[in-house]
Structure formats: structure tokens, C-alpha cells
Amino acid sequence: MLHLTDWILETLVLDKTLFRTTAVSVLLFPLLVVLFRLLLKAFAFCRCHYINSQRLRCFPEPPHANWLLRHAGMVLPNEEGLTEVCKLVATFHQAFLMWLGPFLPVLSVVHPDYIKPIATASADIAPKDELFYGFLKPWLGDGLLLSNGKKWGRHRRMLTPAFHFDILKSYMKIFNQSTNTMHGKWRKLTTAGAVSIDMFEHISLMTLDSLQKCVFSYDSNCQERPSDYIAAILKLSSLVSQRNHQPLNHFDWLYYLKADGRRFRHACDIVHRFTADVVQKRRVALSQLGQDAWLLSKKGKTMDFIDILLQAKDEKGDHLSDGDIAAEADTFMFEGHDTTASGLSWVLYNLARHPDYQDQCRKEIQDLLQGREMEDIEWEDLPQMPFTTMCMKESMRLHPPVTAVSRRCTQDVKLPDGKIIPKGNICLISIFGTHHNPDVWPEPEVYNPYRFDTEASQQQSPLAFMPFSAGPRNCIGQNFAMAEMKVVLALTLLRFRVKLDESRAVRRKPELILRAENGLWLWVEPLPAVS
Ligand code: HEM
């Protein structure tokens, strides 16, 4: 009996041990598999990284800041950072490789010959890289700026007619009106004489006002009284710029826990609600009236972007969805306001630094408008201000509103000297670097509008000057922007003189667009009307 009990106990103990051993091995096996897979992945990653690093060795590298961070933090988004870029470009005339930490190489390209194969490659071979634009996604969705592949191609074809000259022509009245509103404010501010004004603040509001009218036919009167929608766009632009420079906030889960993340969500909601509302109401009107009656109702009125996008059709005759139209409208509002405001603020700054050129522009515009009853700039006037246009271009060379665009090569890209950019790498097409490259533009820091006279321009590579980028993904709004900038600049110089405010140092600040730290302040002095 005793013997039997012992046997049972022994068996039980044995079974328990066996059970434990089996349980451990059942758990251990998948763990080992996972570990093995991770090891394989790490090995594959190291191998790829090694091969990629070897292939990238043909590109020169500036000295590392330290062995771990390598070049990270070497080019900061401030005045010193831009000075550093100029030094790098003066040393490496075509391209240079920088490592943002041990594993992320970024090839900066600063010469037209090197830029050509990347910028003109098909949008599939050199798509946009998300690293620099990712934070805009919750706001702009799959609009033209952020989409890639087939969707981008279809939308680009459908949206191109929206920027046809016939359409842009009808926006001239809006550009004149919005400028007049801004100047009305300046007149009030300068009743007692010249005052110092932050160009960015005033001009950004004015470009937003214009865009809201061109995109939605909506007059929020935002230049004179606060508008929730416009405040939300300004908030979103500044939050995205801040987030770019705060590495911890790059993690979505952390960012949206913080106050800034919540502010971002709230501002996105305001913007999306406004856009969706306009699109929906317009869609209802179109379906209630029918295409023909709806078009008839628009006769004699300005067709805004929403109207044009509602009618846009692809090759199969399919229309854009409401969501697609909203994303494109939000993209135009974002991409069109700060860029144009930056271009305008910097040209006024450059003309304030060069009063002789400012006078020459003013004379050109006075001659153009001489004897006219209305002080309006007409569509036909735009080609009639060659010197003013040269000054604008030279300003966008020296202070490009967008300083760089990024691409990720999905195939090896061959450069003219035989070097290869290996597939998978990020290329930063440095617009600022190219515009400041002494090999491309002698004495690059000198503001000289004559670089853009007809003869000199013909001798330059078309990629030496590319404020609007180049190739298939260039700026779709460049003619819109040039027309608006010419109207605003011409009317401003006609009515005001701008001078440097020596008490406030101007320090450049490359964010999503090129700004000035603490604003760009100029003295604005009203001019007597010329009869
Ligand atoms: C001075 C003013 C402007 C400058 C300097 C400028 C510059 C640029 C640049 C450099 C790009 C290329 C971005 C990239 O490749 O990552 C771009 C793209 C774009 N721009 Fe502009 N822009 C200006 C005004 C405008 C305006 C007024 C609009 C619309 C109303 C606009 C709409 C767009 C859109 C939708 C894209 C994306 C195009 C695509 O990827 O197919 N831009 N812009």
C-alpha cells in the first residue's frame, strides 16, 4: 500500500517537472524564434547600412560634430545655420553628405547639374520624402503637396487647369482689393508719419485674405477683425514649425498628449469644418441646379478654386470626391499664404536695403500707371514691369521662401559625372544652397537684379534659379504667386517708401518657409499721390 502511494506521489512529481519543462520549452521556442528573427533583421540592417555607407563614400562629407550624432545639430534653423550652409557650399560645390546620427544619411545637392537628374526624374523614381512633411498630414491629408504615386498624378492632371491664365486673370481684382485693405491699415498707422511695421504679420494676413476669396469666395474681412479660421491656419503653421525642431514631439502618441498636440487637433478641426462646409454646400447647389444652370448662375462672377475642382474630371470622366476637394483646398491655403508672404516681405526688405533700386521700381510703376483713373494693376500690366520683376527674382534668389525640398530615390540615380546616388537615400535639393553657390552665382551675397536681365538669364542653367522647385513636382501655384506678388509690390511701392529699421537686427530663420526671427520690421512712410 505504502509502495503504491510512493509510486503515485513520485509520478505526480515527475509529471509536474515534465509539465514545467514542457511549458518552459513551449514558451522558449517562440521567444527563440523571435530573437532569431530580430537577429537576422539586425544583421540584414547592418549589412545594408554598410553597403549603403560604402556606396555613399564617393560624396564628400564635412567633418563630424561628434562620432555618435555625427552632423546632427551642425546646421541649425537660424542665421548661423544658414551661414554654415554658405560655407559648406563654398567648399563643396556640387553636393555633400551629412549624417543625422549614425544611421540616417542625407545628401544635400547644391548644383544645377546634380539637381537635374533628381528634380526631373519621374515622380515615381524620386517621390517626396515624408521625413520633412509628415507633420502636415493630419492637416493637409492627401492633397497635392503630400500625396504620391497614382493619386498624385491623377490629381495633378485634374488641378492643372485651375491655374490656367484665364482663371488667374479673374483673380486680379481680388489681389488689388486685398492689397488696398492692407494699405488702408498702413495709412491709418502712418497718419502721424513713418512707423515701423512687421512685414510678415501684415502680409501673411493679406495673402490669407486673398486666398480665402480665391479658393472659397469667402470674405472673412480677416485683415480688419479676428477670424477663427484664419487664426487656426496661422496656429497650425506655427505649431508644425515648432514640432519639427522638438525631437521628443516627433512621437505622435507623446505629442497628442501635450497641450500643443491638443491645440493642433483643435485648429485642424476648425479648418476641416470650414472647408467641408463650403464644399458640401457647393455640391448641394450644383446637384440641385444641374451642371448647365449652375454654370449659368456663375456667369459674370469669379469662379473660385472650389467651383473649378467640382467640375474637374479625369480621363475616365470621374470627378474628385468631396474629401479630395477639401484636401486640395486646405493645401492651397497652406502652401499659398506663407510662401507668398515670405517672398513679398523679403523683396521689400531687399529694396529697403537698396533705395536706388526701390526708386527705379517705383519710377517703372508710376510710368506704367500714368494718366490712369484707377490705381489698379491689370493682368496686361504684369509683363510691363521688367525691372520690378528682376528685383523680385533676385530677392527670391537671395531669400528663397522655400529653402529646400526633399526626395527619396526609389532607384539608383546616375549623376552627370558618373557618381550614383544609391536607391533608398534622402536627397535634399537645397534651393538656398544652389542660390548661394559661388560656382553658379558669382558673389552670391550681393543683391544684383541685373543677374536676371534677358541676356544674363539666357546664359544661366534653368535650374540655377528655382524658388518654385523644378520638374514634375514643381509649384503648381507659381503663376498665381508671381501675379499676386507683382500686384502687391507695385501698389506698395507706388504708395509707400520702405526703409530699414536699424534698431532691429534681421536674422534669417528657415522654418517651413524662410522667415525672420522676431519678425521683419521696416519703416513705412506714406507717399503723396502722384496725379
Ligand atoms: C512665392 C510663392 C511660392 C513659392 C516660393 C512656392 C514654392 C513651392 C515649392 C518649392 C514647391 C515644391 C515643394 C516640394 O517639392 O516639396 C511647391 C509646391 C506646391 N505649391 Fe507652391 N509656392 C508658392 C506659392 C504657391 C501658391 C500661391 C499655391 C497655391 C495657390 C501653391 C501651391 C503649391 C502646391 C499645391 C504644391 C505641390 C505641387 C505638387 O507636388 O504637385 N504654391 N511650391
Side-chain angles (χ1 to χ4, degrees):
M1 189 66 200
L2 194 72
H3 189 69
L4 187 67
T5 331
D6 275 358
W7 182 82
I8 291 171
L9 274 173
E10 219 167 82
T11 317
L12 274 176
V13 170
L14 252 179
D15 264 7
K16 239 181 170 177
T17 325
L18 198 70
F19 173 76
R20 263 201 220 121
T21 326
T22 320
V24 167
S25 47
V26 164
L27 278 176
L28 205 63
F29 183 69
L31 203 77
L32 279 174
V33 171
V34 170
L35 269 176
F36 183 67
R37 281 201 171 163
L38 278 176
L39 229 103
L40 273 183
K41 275 199 174 155
F43 177 73
F45 174 80
C46 289
R47 190 170 165 272
C48 280
H49 174 64
Y50 175 76
I51 295 171
N52 193 37
S53 311
Q54 292 301 311
R55 295 187 72 196
L56 284 168
R57 283 182 74 165
C58 58
F59 297 105
E61 273 183 42
H64 297 164
N66 70 52
W67 67 269
L68 181 67
L69 296 176
R70 303 183 91 175
H71 302 102
M74 229 174 100
V75 178
L76 293 171
N78 56 22
E79 179 64 38
E80 288 71 26
L82 289 180
T83 312
E84 185 61 34
V85 173
C86 292
K87 277 192 210 149
L88 288 169
V89 175
T91 316
F92 311 106
H93 302 286
Q94 268 120 6
F96 50 90
L97 187 70
M98 296 187 89
W99 289 83
L100 306 184
F103 299 116
L104 183 62
V106 174
L107 184 69
S108 289
V109 191
V110 293
H111 194 282
D113 295 348
Y114 265 48
I115 290 171
K116 195 171 172 192
I118 308 161
T120 57
S122 87
D124 289 336
I125 296 179
K128 289 255 170 90
D129 176 63
E130 292 232 334
L131 187 71
F132 293 91
Y133 281 121
F135 303 141
L136 290 166
K137 199 84 179 180
W139 172 13
L140 305 183
D142 248 355
L144 215 49
L145 185 72
L146 301 185
S147 58
N148 270 318
K150 282 204 177 91
K151 182 165 190 177
W152 169 79
R154 174 174 178 258
H155 283 210
R156 178 89 191 197
R157 283 191 296 281
M158 291 171 88
L159 266 59
T160 300
F163 292 91
H164 190 273
F165 291 133
D166 284 339
I167 305 284
L168 297 185
K169 224 171 165 172
S170 64
Y171 297 146
M172 289 296 284
K173 212 169 152 191
I174 296 175
F175 298 154
N176 278 282
Q177 278 170 357
S178 303
T179 314
N180 291 342
T181 311
M182 181 176 75
H183 288 166
K185 278 167 59 187
W186 287 12
R187 285 237 167 77
K188 276 188 205 150
L189 289 171
T190 55
T191 38
V195 286
S196 184
I197 291 179
D198 176 13
M199 291 295 125
F200 266 95
E201 188 193 325
H202 283 247
I203 298 177
S204 293
L205 262 186
M206 189 271 302
T207 52
L208 278 168
D209 189 14
S210 266
L211 273 170
Q212 214 181 1
K213 290 172 187 156
C214 297
V215 176
F216 302 108
S217 297
Y218 190 87
D219 185 359
S220 63
N221 198 13
C222 66
Q223 294 197 70
E224 316 232 48
R225 61 176 165 81
S227 143
D228 282 352
Y229 171 76
I230 298 295
I233 292 191
L234 291 168
K235 189 81 216 159
L236 286 171
S237 304
S238 88
L239 283 172
V240 171
S241 299
Q242 279 170 23
R243 193 176 172 192
N244 261 324
H245 307 306
Q246 298 163 335
L248 274 183
N249 282 342
H250 287 198
F251 301 102
D252 273 354
W253 60 269
L254 186 62
Y255 185 64
Y256 290 112
L257 280 178
K258 292 186 172 179
D260 271 356
R262 287 195 295 274
R263 280 188 204 113
F264 183 84
R265 277 227 168 100
H266 179 63
C268 264
D269 285 347
I270 295 178
V271 168
H272 291 158
R273 228 178 295 131
F274 175 86
T275 313
D277 191 45
V278 178
V279 176
Q280 209 185 346
K281 283 188 180 139
R282 212 65 71 81
R283 175 79 74 194
V284 170
L286 175 63
S287 52
Q288 276 174 354
L289 286 174
Q291 176 90 356
D292 293 342
W294 183 78
L295 276 177
L296 210 66
S297 74
K298 297 275 162 188
K299 222 172 174 188
K301 292 187 192 151
T302 306
M303 291 279 256
D304 61 25
F305 279 119
I306 301 285
D307 290 334
I308 296 161
L309 300 189
L310 272 168
Q311 294 178 81
K313 277 188 206 163
D314 64 11
E315 299 80 9
K316 292 184 200 151
D318 292 335
H319 289 278
L320 291 167
S321 70
D322 285 5
D324 286 342
I325 296 177
E328 298 304 351
D330 290 339
T331 300
F332 291 164
M333 288 301 296
F334 160 70
E335 185 61 26
H337 86 275
D338 253 2
T339 46
T340 314
S342 166
L344 276 164
S345 303
W346 286 112
V347 68
L348 287 169
Y349 167 75
N350 281 310
L351 292 176
R353 281 169 69 210
H354 298 277
D356 42 344
Y357 293 143
Q358 185 179 155
D359 288 342
Q360 213 171 320
C361 290
R362 185 170 294 113
K363 173 89 177 52
E364 183 175 75
I365 296 145
Q366 283 168 346
D367 288 350
L368 182 67
L369 297 188
Q370 202 177 25
R372 294 220 194 142
E373 230 170 74
M374 292 283 286
E375 245 180 26
D376 266 10
I377 304 292
E378 311 275 348
W379 179 256
E380 292 69 28
D381 294 330
L382 299 181
Q384 308 300 323
M385 27 177 128
F387 187 71
T388 311
T389 309
M390 281 156 58
C391 288
M392 261 170 53
K393 287 187 174 172
E394 175 63 346
S395 179
M396 284 201 281
R397 180 194 67 79
L398 205 54
H399 295 99
V402 178
T403 53
V405 296
S406 68
R407 299 283 184 268
R408 189 183 285 270
C409 304
T410 58
Q411 286 180 20
D412 283 2
V413 172
K414 194 170 177 188
L415 298 169
D417 57 4
K419 285 182 186 158
I420 306 263
I421 306 174
K423 152 185 177 179
N425 285 290
I426 299 177
C427 287
L428 201 70
I429 300 180
S430 174
I431 299 175
F432 181 89
T434 310
H435 288 185
H436 287 252
N437 186 340
D439 248 22
V440 183
W441 299 100
E443 295 189 278
E445 299 310 319
V446 176
Y447 180 80
N448 173 13
Y450 291 100
R451 297 180 202 267
F452 288 95
D453 69 16
T454 324
E455 206 177 306
S457 300
Q458 274 164 2
Q459 283 159 21
Q460 265 298 5
S461 154
L463 295 174
F465 174 66
M466 39 160 201
F468 297 105
S469 185
R473 294 215 67 159
N474 68 351
C475 174
I476 199 170
Q478 59 183 293
N479 291 323
F480 179 104
M482 284 303 280
E484 180 171 21
M485 285 170 69
K486 284 187 189 180
V487 172
V488 181
L489 185 60
L491 292 179
T492 303
L493 296 178
L494 198 67
R495 298 165 180 167
F496 299 91
R497 187 184 308 284
V498 284
K499 288 183 186 165
L500 285 184
D501 183 344
E502 310 280 0
S503 67
R504 300 179 199 251
V506 173
R507 286 172 50 82
R508 295 166 295 179
K509 192 176 180 207
E511 289 185 332
L512 289 172
I513 53 129
L514 184 63
R515 297 180 178 279
E517 239 172 72
N518 307 318
L520 206 163
W521 296 77
L522 295 179
W523 285 101
V524 174
E525 179 191 316
L527 292 173
V530 182
S531 54

